[in-house]
């Protein structure tokens, strides 16, 4: 009887051990990142640009991701979830403190692929990846080819998803924002390419839709796509192709409230050429 009892305890211990969830920091090498991201002093990782991704494979039928919101007072962000290459919807990330989200998967498979996209854009603030809880993690394989997409609201997916919150509803202008469904990530996914979005809603080459700046060229080299002094490390990402979709805001009629001078084609062309020269300076072989 003692032998049987001991064996039962041993089997119970093994069963409990096999289902234990382990904590992985955001900076763990098993978590892969793509897009404009930065690691902070505490080992958390900031998803900055539209469609910036944290991804990994996890074992079992669920995992827990801890996310927090680093944004202006009253502002929040959205994170789009892709599980096993299928879109599962958006999470609203509004807490400045780490918040846990449970991701449930199909029990018929041992391993699952999870990608967490920042659905909003750089000017909305930052989605912080704090940690992951799972049985086991594996890093995603690296892509062999990369594309950078530079643009405005069209490129970053502003207002393109009205399934959850119809137009005219919601409390913020970015409630319909979903970079996951922007043309840029869709192109990259179709080509199995790595990608990065450097896109700013309302911005142009030499003027914006309702102001003279700061424009995309004036913000492009900053890590947060703004005018602070944190320079983006271009060595972190080397694209084979750079796609630029800019000019809509330069050529627009504006917001109807802000006075702007007539469109200047010479300034537009010269600024565009200078910006292309800047990109070649950063990526000589693109």
């Amino acid at each position: 009887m003692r032998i049987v009892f001991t064996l039962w305890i041993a089997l119970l211990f093994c069963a409990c051990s096999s289902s234990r969830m382990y904590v992985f920091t955001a900076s763990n090498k098993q978590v892969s990142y793509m897009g404009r991201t930065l690691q902070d002093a505490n080992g958390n990782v900031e998803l900055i640009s539209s469609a910036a991704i944290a991804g990994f494979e996890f074992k079992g039928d669920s995992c827990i991701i801890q996310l927090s919101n680093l944004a202006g007072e009253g502002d929040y962000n959205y994170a789009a979830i892709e599980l096993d290459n299928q879109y599962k919807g958006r999470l609203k990330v509004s807490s400045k403190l780490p918040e846990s989200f449970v991701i449930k998967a199909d029990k018929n498979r041992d391993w699952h692929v999870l990608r967490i996209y920042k659905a909003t854009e750089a000017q909305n603030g930052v989605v912080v990846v704090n940690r992951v809880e799972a049985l086991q993690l594996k890093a995603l394989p690296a892509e062999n080819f990369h594309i950078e997409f530079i643009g405005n609201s069209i490129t970053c997916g502003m207002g393109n998803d009205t399934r959850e919150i119809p137009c005219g509803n919601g409390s913020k202008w970015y409630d319909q924002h979903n970079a996951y469904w922007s043309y840029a990530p869709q192109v990259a996914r179709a080509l199995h390419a790595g990608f990065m979005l450097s896109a700013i809603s309302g911005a142009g080459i030499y003027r914006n839709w309702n102001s003279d700046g700061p424009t995309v060229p004036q913000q492009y080299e900053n890590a947060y796509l703004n005018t602070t002094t944190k320079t983006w490390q271009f060595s972190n990402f080397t694209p084979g192709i750079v796609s630029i979709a800019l000019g809509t805001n330069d050529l627009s009629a504006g917001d109807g409230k802000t006075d702007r001078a007539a469109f200047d084609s010479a300034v537009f062309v010269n600024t565009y050429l200078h910006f292309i020269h800047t990109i070649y300076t950063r990526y000589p072989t693109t």
Side-chain angles (χ1 to χ4, degrees), residues 31-247:
V31 184
S32 308
Y33 293 95
M34 191 161 56
R36 291 193 182 217
T37 66
L38 287 176
Q39 183 178 318
D40 69 16
N42 298 315
N44 303 314
V45 177
E46 300 174 345
L47 304 182
I48 299 169
S49 57
S50 298
I53 297 173
F56 52 83
E57 288 189 62
F58 69 91
K59 188 174 184 179
D61 60 4
S62 66
C63 74
I64 299 171
I65 54 174
Q66 238 186 37
L67 306 174
S68 54
N69 176 54
L70 185 58
E73 189 64 33
D75 281 326
Y76 47 83
N77 277 280
Y78 288 100
I81 300 299
E82 182 190 81
L83 180 62
D84 295 330
N85 300 314
Q86 302 234 338
Y87 176 72
K88 296 297 181 180
R90 293 186 309 171
L91 302 173
K92 185 178 181 180
V93 185
S94 56
S95 174
K96 292 183 179 180
L97 298 176
E99 183 177 2
S100 295
F101 298 91
V102 179
I103 306 298
K104 294 186 178 180
D106 186 353
K107 294 183 179 180
N108 296 324
R109 297 175 57 178
D110 289 336
W111 286 89
H112 302 274
V113 176
L114 180 67
R115 293 184 178 89
I116 306 154
Y117 285 68
K118 186 186 179 192
T120 34
E121 61 183 296
Q123 65 178 299
N124 298 132
V126 169
V127 173
V128 181
V129 182
N130 300 104
R131 71 183 199 183
V132 177
E133 295 179 39
L135 296 177
Q136 293 183 46
L137 287 189
K138 288 194 298 189
L140 300 179
E143 295 81 4
N144 295 321
F145 188 75
H146 298 91
I147 307 172
E148 180 175 12
F149 296 89
I150 301 172
N152 50 39
S153 59
I154 300 170
T155 301
C156 64
M158 186 269 170
N160 69 349
D161 190 348
T162 60
R163 289 171 292 184
E164 297 172 21
I165 304 174
C167 282
N169 294 353
S171 58
K172 299 289 184 179
W173 63 269
Y174 48 84
D175 278 325
Q176 292 78 29
H177 202 310
N178 196 342
Y180 182 88
W181 293 119
S182 157
Y183 73 86
Q186 291 198 63
V187 167
R189 287 193 294 266
L191 297 174
H192 304 288
F195 65 93
M196 180 169 76
L197 269 64
S198 299
I200 306 169
S201 286
I205 278 289
Y206 91 94
R207 65 178 188 173
N208 301 334
W209 79 291
N210 64 347
S211 68
D212 291 327
T215 61
V216 171
Q218 291 169 332
Q219 301 177 87
Y220 172 72
E221 295 184 272
N222 186 275
Y224 291 93
L225 291 173
N226 57 24
T227 56
T228 60
T229 56
K230 182 73 173 179
T231 302
W232 171 246
Q233 297 301 312
F234 285 88
S235 59
N236 292 344
F237 182 85
T238 305
I241 291 176
V242 175
S243 167
I244 310 174
L246 287 170

